[in-house]
Amino acid sequence: MHPTDFTLRGAIEALNEGLLTSVELTQAHLDAITALNPRLNAYVTVTAEQALAQAKASDARRAAGVAGPLEGVPLAIKDLFCTAGVRTTAGSRILDNFIPPYESTVSGNLLRDGAVFLGKVNLDEFAMGSSNTTSAFGPVENPWSRANDPDTRLVPGGSSGGSAAAVAARLALGATATDTGGSIRQPAAFCGIAGIKPTYGRCSRFGIVAFASSLDQAGPVARTVEDCAILLRSMAGFDPKDSTSADVPVPDFAAACARGVKGLRIGVPKEYRLEGTPPEIEALWEQGLAWLREQGAETVEISLPHTKYALPTYYIVAPAEASSNLARYDGVRFGRREKGADLKDLYERTRAAGFGAEVRRRIMIGTYVLSAGYYDAYYLKAQKIRALIKRDFDQAFANVDAIVTPATPSAAFGMDEKQDDPVTMYLNDVFTVTANLAGLPGLSVPSGLDAQGLPLGLQVIGRAFDEETVFAVGNAIEQAADFTALPRLRAGA
Ligand code: GLN
């Protein structure tokens, strides 16, 4: 077995049993990155020296009998998390020289628990996108390809495309990611791995480059549901440095995976049966529900009546918050600076040179919906609908324990497809934005393949702060699906 083939849990066991060292495990991943990253472009920055030093220190701690829960495990960090002394770009030219002097709370929690960081992984610029094609550092390639069309290069999804591609191709055992409208769940589904967006407030946002602050959440991607559970336990926790961080206990999520689904009521929202969804995705959804029934759950149709407003609501709220958050990139305090004749000229030149087309579009939409004449008509209206969407979920969860839907309306698409019209790209998020608007946990589980041999995911949405039930349901689907297919591009292949 190639060392990069371990699951995260398997690697921890192997390290505990002394079958290999963290230095060996880390070196195997660095070698895999050297071999495959020139093609995949998943990593923006590889911190090989630092990784090996961390691995060596980790092996020493283990030898001294003080191993943390993630002792010696090599991970990839989305380049939206500030890492002390390591360049953090947010996928943008405007931050291409930004070296944060501090560590994000989430990445710091992982280091506290013994993790090794291989480097920083690619993403859509400022996490705006569903294809990882808006990155200033070039697109990421999905390690999967269509069986009958292996030459068409596919997107890994976005915005956490580097995280998902790196984990699927075995260039890391797990990765951090963030999800504002689907950026953990959609790339996980496109790359045949698992990923969870936890409840809003579960993970601290301190030190994560902000996109839309009321929607942004950090979460893990990994090759199994249980691996996500292990990572989330380390990432999560109250942080006084984030005023929206929730002061609630962090349970043993991995233990919850094995709970089973007997007696659980699973909601199936009828509004998610969208016209135009490929029949394979409909069929997989039915199959997933059948698997849960076979394991003792009951499935019931529910209604989330305001679902059809979720996408337009998201694409008002998210750009509005983004336009405000991105005002800080002015060329004065940090990041890129262009020369200007005066201060205003400096701002304008810096922002024009630093931001890509999608980011500029969002800033323009955001400032428009927040402007004096349109605030009531768009932004305030969107906030009201957001409250109704949340109320739909509250009512549904009075009657069910979890909700199961498809994760995405399609499998991974080609790098040149869906690029001509931004709204076509926005439709990718139709099944995922609702959980962000309502602040609820959502897990994507690799559940099957389409006719082209590409992975498809199912989504499990749960009550706020009930990730344990979400993990139990996700684990049950994963066990039944027995997803063993592998991408063509991967280490050790
Ligand atoms: N695709 C969505 C967007 O472009 C979601 C992005 C995200 O979750 N960061 O806004």
Side-chain angles (χ1 to χ4, degrees):
M1 179 173 167
H2 198 266
T4 57
D5 279 334
F6 280 114
T7 60
L8 187 139
R9 169 162 165 207
I12 292 173
E13 285 168 3
L15 289 163
N16 285 343
E17 287 164 21
L19 297 179
L20 82 175
T21 63
S22 176
V23 168
E24 287 162 353
L25 188 62
T26 301
Q27 189 62 56
H29 282 90
L30 291 170
D31 292 345
I33 294 168
T34 305
L36 281 172
N37 200 55
R39 164 97 187 240
L40 293 173
N41 198 29
Y43 282 82
V44 173
T45 305
V46 181
T47 50
E49 251 173 63
Q50 179 183 295
L52 288 168
Q54 287 172 339
K56 210 171 147 195
S58 168
D59 285 332
R61 283 194 297 270
R62 190 182 293 281
V66 284
L70 295 175
E71 198 58 65
V73 171
L75 301 175
I77 304 299
K78 185 177 183 178
D79 210 13
L80 202 63
F81 291 79
C82 286
T83 37
V86 175
R87 184 176 73 141
T88 299
T89 68
S92 183
R93 259 169 69 79
I94 211 159
L95 288 177
D96 62 4
N97 61 2
F98 175 53
I99 298 178
Y102 58 89
E103 191 76 29
S104 83
T105 297
V106 163
S107 53
N109 289 348
L110 293 169
L111 291 172
R112 172 204 66 204
D113 283 356
V116 169
F117 291 172
L118 296 162
K120 307 296 291 289
V121 278
N122 211 337
L123 68 157
D124 281 298
E125 186 176 5
F126 284 104
M128 298 173 189
S130 308
S131 58
N132 214 124
T133 50
T134 73
S135 170
F137 299 90
V140 174
E141 180 173 353
N142 192 323
W144 293 78
S145 43
R146 295 174 180 137
N148 63 357
D149 175 19
D151 295 334
T152 297
R153 303 169 73 203
L154 304 179
V155 304
S159 65
S160 311
S163 305
V167 170
R170 277 125 178 87
L171 307 186
L173 291 176
T176 65
T178 61
D179 190 312
T180 304
S183 281
I184 289 176
R185 293 160 285 160
Q186 185 252 18
F190 276 17
C191 292
I193 61 170
I196 182 167
K197 179 202 91 74
T199 309
Y200 184 79
R202 182 62 98 176
C203 289
S204 168
R205 290 181 297 106
F206 177 79
I208 301 174
V209 176
F211 166 7
S213 306
S214 76
L215 301 161
D216 297 345
Q217 252 303 287
V221 295
R223 292 197 289 270
T224 69
V225 170
E226 188 188 32
D227 285 357
C228 285
I230 293 170
L231 285 172
L232 182 59
R233 190 183 190 186
S234 289
M235 293 166 72
F238 175 64
D239 178 12
K241 292 195 221 125
D242 171 4
S243 62
T244 61
S245 159
D247 195 358
V248 293
V250 178
D252 183 349
F253 297 120
C257 289
R259 272 187 189 174
V261 295
K262 213 175 167 64
L264 290 185
R265 286 169 63 84
I266 306 294
V268 186
K270 62 172 190 232
E271 290 80 5
Y272 283 59
R273 292 191 197 286
L274 297 182
E275 221 177 292
T277 303
E280 291 154 300
I281 289 181
E282 294 279 353
L284 181 70
W285 192 10
E286 286 310 322
Q287 177 65 73
L289 299 171
W291 285 329
L292 292 171
R293 283 192 296 269
E294 281 159 24
Q295 296 179 58
E298 188 188 341
T299 57
V300 286
E301 184 173 277
I302 58 165
S303 176
L304 299 168
H306 296 90
T307 299
K308 63 171 177 288
Y309 304 115
L311 210 49
T313 301
Y314 172 83
Y315 276 99
I316 289 172
V317 173
E321 294 186 19
S323 71
S324 166
N325 272 326
L326 269 57
R328 75 190 69 176
Y329 304 103
D330 55 9
V332 175
R333 286 164 293 184
F334 42 79
R336 173 178 286 270
R337 173 185 302 173
E338 296 294 321
K339 282 202 172 64
D342 52 32
L343 188 61
K344 185 158 172 284
D345 192 44
L346 179 149
Y347 288 161
E348 287 175 358
R349 284 177 191 275
T350 298
R351 288 168 68 84
F355 291 141
E358 183 59 29
V359 171
R360 288 191 229 177
R361 181 179 299 121
R362 306 271 180 127
I363 292 173
M364 283 191 280
I365 295 171
T367 45
Y368 180 83
V369 300
L370 290 175
S371 61
Y374 297 102
Y375 184 89
D376 290 357
Y378 295 110
Y379 184 69
L380 211 58
K381 191 59 139 285
Q383 293 291 24
K384 288 180 183 165
I385 299 172
R386 181 176 183 177
L388 294 175
I389 290 168
K390 184 167 183 306
R391 201 181 64 185
D392 285 355
F393 278 105
D394 289 344
Q395 287 169 351
F397 280 121
N399 202 17
V400 297
D401 301 297
I403 294 171
V404 172
T405 76
T408 60
S410 77
F413 46 88
M415 282 186 177
D416 304 327
E417 296 161 22
K418 306 198 190 198
Q419 299 290 342
D420 2 324
D421 166 19
V423 177
T424 311
M425 191 62 81
Y426 298 168
L427 291 176
N428 271 289
D429 310 321
V430 64
F431 295 133
T432 46
V433 293
T434 49
N436 301 79
L437 290 167
L440 303 175
L443 168 72
S444 177
V445 187
S447 308
L449 298 175
D450 75 357
Q452 305 258 36
L454 294 180
L456 296 172
L458 289 174
Q459 174 179 226
V460 184
I461 302 173
R463 294 187 181 102
F465 297 105
D466 187 16
E467 285 88 356
E468 288 168 284
T469 301
V470 171
F471 278 121
V473 174
N475 189 258
I477 294 173
E478 183 181 54
Q479 296 307 314
D482 192 22
F483 186 90
T484 51
L486 293 170
R488 198 164 53 90
L489 294 171
R490 63 176 198 280

